[in-house]
Amino acid sequence: MRVTVNRKAHFNAAHRLYNCDWSDDRNIEVFGKCANPNYHGHNYELIVSVTGNIHPETGFVMDMKILKELIKTEIEEQFDHKNLNEEVAEFAKLNPTTENISIVIWNKLRTKIDKNLDLSVTLYETPRNFVTFKGDN
Ligand code: NI
């Protein structure tokens, strides 16, 4: 039986949506206030979901203490109270949309989680706008 366990996390971060190959006018047309050169912040809510078989000895799909610690060190400590464009290397040239942030988070966690477990990342930029990434296959 494959079961999904979920862990919620949170970080505050600033960003600016901007395509450096475009003019300022084009950026404002597409990204609106999100292209503001002075940046703006969001309270990001993150849900990390891990799916797999229940281990017969522990009864766990994954030890939630380990997942909690992984999210803390790999994501929260890297992103919380940061300017994503300026301070997080992955976004030096990558537009920090919710879509792209989700992929970056998924890639950071994927290497640290057992290959037999499936990983899904859901990221809320606002209470009503959220994105899910489950990998590319
Ligand atoms: Ni924004």
Side-chain angles (χ1 to χ4, degrees), residues 14-17 33-34 40-42 44 96 98 125:
H15 74 167
R16 177 194 192 196
L17 299 184
K33 286 180 184 170
C34 292
H40 64 275
H42 291 283
Y44 289 98
T98 319
E125 188 177 76

Side-chain angles (χ1 to χ4, degrees), residues 12-133:
N12 300 314
H15 74 167
R16 177 194 192 196
L17 299 184
Y18 190 79
N19 183 329
C20 57
D21 295 332
W22 293 351
S23 67
D24 285 349
D25 284 349
R26 177 87 171 117
N27 272 287
I28 288 163
E29 185 189 323
V30 173
F31 298 121
K33 286 180 184 170
C34 292
N36 175 6
N38 293 321
Y39 303 94
H40 64 275
H42 291 283
N43 296 315
Y44 289 98
E45 294 288 344
L46 173 65
I47 300 171
V48 176
S49 302
V50 175
T51 301
N53 293 315
I54 298 174
H55 193 281
E57 288 177 319
T58 61
F60 293 157
V61 169
M62 181 175 177
D63 187 332
M64 295 301 266
K65 294 189 297 296
I66 293 171
L67 185 58
K68 173 188 174 183
E69 194 58 30
L70 205 52
I71 295 168
K72 185 176 160 221
T73 55
E74 295 297 316
I75 311 302
E76 291 174 324
E77 287 175 2
Q78 310 299 320
F79 291 5
D80 192 39
H81 286 73
K82 295 286 174 64
N83 178 319
L84 298 177
N85 304 71
E86 298 285 328
E87 295 178 279
V88 178
E90 284 85 350
F91 302 110
K93 293 197 172 84
L94 181 67
N95 207 9
T97 59
T98 319
E99 291 87 333
N100 283 332
I101 301 168
S102 299
I103 293 170
V104 167
I105 290 172
W106 189 92
N107 283 330
K108 282 174 173 287
L109 295 175
R110 181 67 277 184
T111 57
K112 309 275 181 178
I113 291 172
D114 190 319
K115 291 281 178 289
N116 295 319
L117 301 171
D118 291 331
L119 174 64
S120 171
V121 162
T122 298
L123 184 66
Y124 285 74
E125 188 177 76
T126 72
R128 291 172 188 272
N129 293 343
F130 56 99
V131 165
T132 299
F133 185 64

